[in-house]
Amino acid sequence: MQFCECGTILVPDKQPDGKIQMKCYGCGYIITSSSNSKAFEIKQKIRHSDLEKTVIIEASDEVETMPSATAKCEKCGHNEAVYWQLQTRSSDEASTTFYRCKKCKFTWRDYG
Ligand SMILES: [Zn+2]
Ligand SMILES: [Zn+2]
């Protein structure tokens, strides 16, 4: 526990930008976490958003009937690929376009 020079207990005070300061409500004295990092520890939980699930479509015989487009394969450099679109669960989001190289079957998604 930390006390201000005036004798009041310093209270952690979270700023709008996420930084935490030790603040004295007695006199208004403020100690920033960077200048006094050893005095107190702030454990911040970082919540990772769910990893984006990558949809992998198994290779199928339908590839030949799928529409093709000019898209360069990152793997083999071939510039012709079939493509299809998938709508994500949330209808608010735009659909994702997938490409599959006609030569090596490498599949990737276009993030737009
Ligand atoms: Zn004070
Ligand atoms: Zn390829």
Side-chain angles (χ1 to χ4, degrees):
M1 198 169 284
Q2 261 191 295
F3 290 91
C4 175
E5 287 175 9
C6 72
T8 308
I9 295 172
L10 290 170
V11 180
D13 184 49
K14 195 172 183 182
Q15 301 301 298
D17 60 3
K19 288 179 182 172
I20 294 179
Q21 300 176 328
M22 295 303 280
K23 189 175 181 182
C24 170
Y25 285 97
C27 68
Y29 184 64
I30 289 171
I31 302 171
T32 59
S33 58
S34 57
S35 63
N36 200 16
S37 58
K38 285 183 180 176
F40 65 99
E41 244 181 83
I42 296 158
K43 289 183 180 176
Q44 208 175 352
K45 271 191 178 179
I46 300 170
R47 186 184 285 179
H48 290 280
S49 58
D50 287 343
L51 287 175
E52 204 179 338
K53 289 175 186 173
T54 306
V55 182
I56 299 170
I57 309 290
E58 294 299 322
S60 74
D61 298 331
E62 291 175 318
V63 167
E64 295 304 320
T65 64
M66 291 162 82
S68 57
T70 303
K72 192 172 183 182
C73 172
E74 296 172 24
K75 218 169 183 180
C76 73
H78 192 63
N79 60 6
E80 206 179 357
V82 294
Y83 70 93
W84 65 95
Q85 290 189 322
L86 282 186
Q87 189 76 37
T88 47
R89 281 187 184 181
S90 166
S91 56
D92 297 335
E93 292 176 37
S95 58
T96 307
T97 305
F98 289 84
Y99 289 93
R100 177 179 290 153
C101 174
K102 276 191 170 183
K103 197 175 180 184
C104 72
K105 300 277 196 288
F106 177 67
T107 304
W108 70 95
R109 60 191 286 184
D110 181 32
Y111 290 93

